[in-house]
Amino acid sequence: MSTRAHEVYDVVGIGFGPSNLSLAISLDEHRENVPAHPATAVFFERQPAFGWHRNMLLPSATMQISFLKDLATFRNPVSRFGYVSYLHESGRLARFVNNMDFFPTRLEFHQYLEWAAAGFTDRVHYGHDVTSVRLAPDGADGRPGHLVVEARDTTTGAVRQVLTRNVAISTGLVPRMPDGMERDERVWHSSEFLAKYRRMNPRDLTSVAVVGAGQSAAEITRFLYDSLPHAQVSAIFPSYGYSIADDTPFANQIFDPAAVDDYYYGTDQARESFWRYHKNTNYSVVDADVIRDLYRRSYAEDVDGTQRLHFLNMTRVREVKRAGDETRVLLDTLLDGHTQELDVDAIVFATGYDSMEPSRLLGELDRYCLRDAAGRHRVERDNRLLAPELPFGIYIQGGTEHTHGLSSALLSNIAVRSGEIADSVLATRPAREPAARREHAAAAR
Ligand code: FDA
Ligand code: NAP
């Protein structure tokens, strides 16, 4: 696709994961997006094609939200980009219903996202890494004219610049390694799991370890145990056992669109309570079926009198020593206070993610964005960074847990959130004369 060099876009989206894909749909479906004055948007995505956490597309992994929390339905139940439309077009609607499951596999949801993304290839530059967002030279009134977004082609290195009135930064979670741990061909983070696993010969993996007690860790432990029947599999985690992800109905209401207002306009004490009581809906917790799967495998080993699945609980990794193909892990065990060593062929750190932080991309622009007493960005209800001196919008999707609550880094609310951003972008764009009046004026000249 091409971008027009002198065009000033209504919005440039950075990253084309589910959040900005949902924004593309919202803009398309917006009541004010009329053919006479179409909203103009372009998106940059560093991956060569659409992909949603591809390295965690493990065969039996299922979604953690209902299929109805798709890219559009909560905002527009008759959108042609809803999950039901996808099922209908794929010829699977009847069988999906017979299956009576609200939680599709991640593989199926990925296919749905790819299907939706295929509707926007004319607006997305894949294989383009956005490196900066900055102010364009001043406009005629002496105020900054607009924003310049700069992207580098990941294959050729060529740099492309586009002008825009708004940006939507939706670059996703940032993988987190414990302090002092370096990734390499034997030391992996869960976000790169399948890519690195596939580079290995499974026969060379006779002892593997997984660190963490969240959903990623439990899914990878199960996968490795099933895929490497000859291997010792050690699960290393800081708690006594895996804890269950609370997805019961009352707790689940914290992911409803209305909960965003309750959080945003709530008192500090209310916001603190959201976290205190409901962090266990999402962080350091595991779906019940995966916990049961692991326990069943462990119990079956007891019955067989074999053991190759090892749970090293109340244990943290102190150090990883690497030399060639050898990897020695030093472990601190809280239960007896001892340090033990474990030799592995590969170790996976499923130690979670940091939330999105737009400062690096914004560079100099970041100093226009106000921060709270804790140093976090102040964010308006429409997901725009609070920057009163800037006449354009820097919207963020993700990185707003402190202002918008627990659903900020999840899919639960993206249909509604992207609609709110589309409303805001379209409400603030410069008015354009209706085409009929323009033609009349031209004829009169
Ligand atoms: P996402 O990370 O998906 O997309 C960001 C995109 O931006 C990426 O494609 C990236 O390549 C691109 N990008 C980054 N920097 C760029 C740059 N400088 N230039 C250009 N492109 C750039 N939530 C939920 O509600 N239900 C669920 O079932 C799951 N399941 C799940 C599984 C796994 C394994 C993880 C790690 C997370 C989840 N989540 C989840 C949470 C997850 O954050 C959420 O599903 C979405 O990925 C959020 O979509 P985004 O588009 O915001 O980020
Ligand atoms: P997470 O929930 O943040 O869990 C990270 C785990 O690593 C925690 O148990 C943490 O323990 C542990 N940890 C951190 N540092 C450690 C250290 N130094 N030593 C030992 N353990 C350490 O991360 P996640 O499992 O990757 O999940 C992230 C998000 O992705 C969640 O929203 C999750 O639901 C989602 N996800 C979804 C699916 C799916 O849809 N099927 C699959 C995977 C992930 P502490 O509790 O002590 O911090």
Side-chain angles (χ1 to χ4, degrees):
M1 67 152 296
S2 65
T3 37
R4 292 175 289 277
H6 300 294
E7 172 148 9
V8 180
Y9 286 89
D10 287 318
V11 59
V12 169
I14 305 175
F16 200 63
S19 296
N20 270 347
L21 171 53
S22 179
L23 177 60
I25 296 170
S26 291
L27 287 166
D28 250 26
E29 295 179 348
H30 201 280
R31 64 188 176 285
E32 285 179 17
N33 191 10
V34 289
H37 190 186
T40 54
V42 67
F43 297 85
F44 290 99
E45 168 54 54
R46 64 156 70 117
Q47 296 183 82
F50 184 87
W52 176 61
H53 302 302
R54 277 184 188 275
N55 288 321
M56 281 295 291
L57 284 182
L58 305 175
S60 47
T62 56
M63 292 301 293
Q64 296 194 297
I65 47 164
S66 156
F67 68 97
L68 289 171
K69 290 189 173 180
D70 59 31
L71 297 163
T73 298
F74 270 41
R75 177 184 50 77
N76 175 14
V78 294
S79 169
R80 74 179 181 87
F81 290 103
Y83 207 79
V84 174
S85 298
Y86 154 73
L87 289 170
H88 185 258
E89 218 171 286
S90 316
R92 285 205 306 274
L93 183 54
R95 279 173 54 76
F96 182 85
V97 173
N98 291 340
N99 205 35
M100 288 203 281
D101 195 344
F102 254 44
F103 303 94
T105 60
R106 293 196 56 242
L107 281 167
E108 186 180 42
F109 203 81
H110 195 277
Q111 285 177 17
Y112 155 68
L113 294 173
E114 283 181 310
W115 166 85
F120 295 91
T121 44
D122 60 336
R123 262 155 280 182
V124 188
H125 288 281
Y126 288 104
H128 276 77
D129 195 0
V130 172
T131 50
S132 73
V133 183
R134 53 190 161 75
L135 294 176
D138 290 351
D141 58 0
R143 300 188 77 200
H146 26 250
L147 295 167
V148 185
V149 175
E150 197 164 278
R152 195 178 47 82
D153 186 317
T154 55
T155 312
T156 64
V159 173
R160 186 188 289 268
Q161 295 186 345
V162 290
L163 304 178
T164 183
R165 280 181 274 278
N166 301 286
V167 288
I169 304 178
S170 313
T171 49
L173 297 164
V174 182
R176 184 172 59 220
M177 292 288 281
D179 287 345
M181 309 294 159
E182 297 293 331
R183 300 193 229 171
D184 65 18
E185 72 280 8
R186 301 275 176 163
V187 181
W188 314 333
H189 184 267
S190 55
S191 58
E192 53 188 0
F193 174 66
L194 280 177
K196 290 216 164 151
Y197 174 77
R198 286 179 184 136
R199 270 181 231 156
M200 304 290 295
N201 182 340
R203 280 200 305 273
D204 295 337
L205 293 172
T206 58
S207 173
V208 290
V210 183
V211 185
Q215 185 71 17
S216 300
E219 285 183 8
I220 291 172
T221 303
R222 179 178 65 178
F223 173 85
L224 288 173
Y225 185 79
D226 293 350
S227 309
L228 302 173
H230 55 284
Q232 302 294 314
V233 178
S234 301
I236 301 163
F237 50 86
S239 50
Y240 196 75
Y242 296 105
S243 293
I244 192 166
D246 183 353
D247 65 347
T248 50
F250 288 104
N252 215 40
Q253 291 184 131
I254 56 153
F255 300 116
D256 290 355
V260 177
D261 279 337
D262 289 335
Y263 192 95
Y264 190 86
Y265 297 111
T267 60
D268 285 349
Q269 209 181 354
R271 280 194 283 273
E272 191 271 325
S273 294
F274 268 91
W275 286 102
R276 181 153 41 94
Y277 290 111
H278 300 297
K279 190 168 183 253
N280 69 341
T281 51
N282 187 47
Y283 290 109
S284 308
V285 288
V286 182
D287 284 347
D289 58 333
V290 184
I291 295 179
R292 294 224 167 79
D293 275 1
L294 284 174
Y295 202 85
R296 267 191 212 107
R297 283 160 176 73
S298 173
Y299 186 74
E301 288 193 336
D302 280 3
V303 175
D304 279 1
T306 57
Q307 197 192 2
R308 59 182 193 88
L309 181 56
H310 310 276
F311 296 102
L312 309 180
N313 63 347
M314 303 211 100
T315 300
R316 283 185 176 267
V317 176
R318 170 192 288 207
E319 195 182 343
V320 177
K321 291 183 176 169
R322 292 275 296 110
D325 290 349
E326 285 169 20
T327 306
R328 176 159 296 176
V329 187
L330 270 55
L331 300 168
D332 287 332
T333 307
L334 288 181
L335 283 173
D336 58 10
H338 283 103
T339 299
Q340 54 174 308
E341 292 182 352
L342 180 69
D343 289 328
V344 293
D345 300 309
I347 181 166
V348 190
F349 282 90
T351 43
Y353 295 80
D354 291 324
S355 47
M356 193 188 86
E357 227 301 334
S359 302
R360 192 190 57 80
L361 268 182
L362 292 174
E364 270 292 289
L365 261 182
D366 196 47
R367 70 187 166 84
Y368 291 90
C369 304
L370 305 188
R371 291 181 179 253
D372 65 15
R376 301 165 302 191
H377 280 118
R378 291 175 62 186
V379 189
E380 300 194 62
R381 177 62 185 83
D382 60 4
N383 282 273
R384 188 176 155 132
L385 293 181
L386 184 61
E389 285 179 55
L390 294 180
F392 23 63
I394 300 169
Y395 297 87
I396 57 173
Q397 304 202 72
T400 56
E401 283 189 329
H402 60 297
T403 50
H404 290 64
L406 277 81
S407 59
S408 298
L410 302 176
L411 299 174
S412 327
N413 202 33
I414 56 172
V416 172
R417 179 178 68 194
S418 65
E420 291 163 352
I421 295 174
D423 285 347
S424 177
V425 164
L426 289 164
T428 52
R429 70 178 170 162
R432 195 174 285 181
E433 286 178 289
R437 199 182 320 149
R438 274 208 308 276
E439 278 158 23
H440 178 76
R445 276 199 285 271

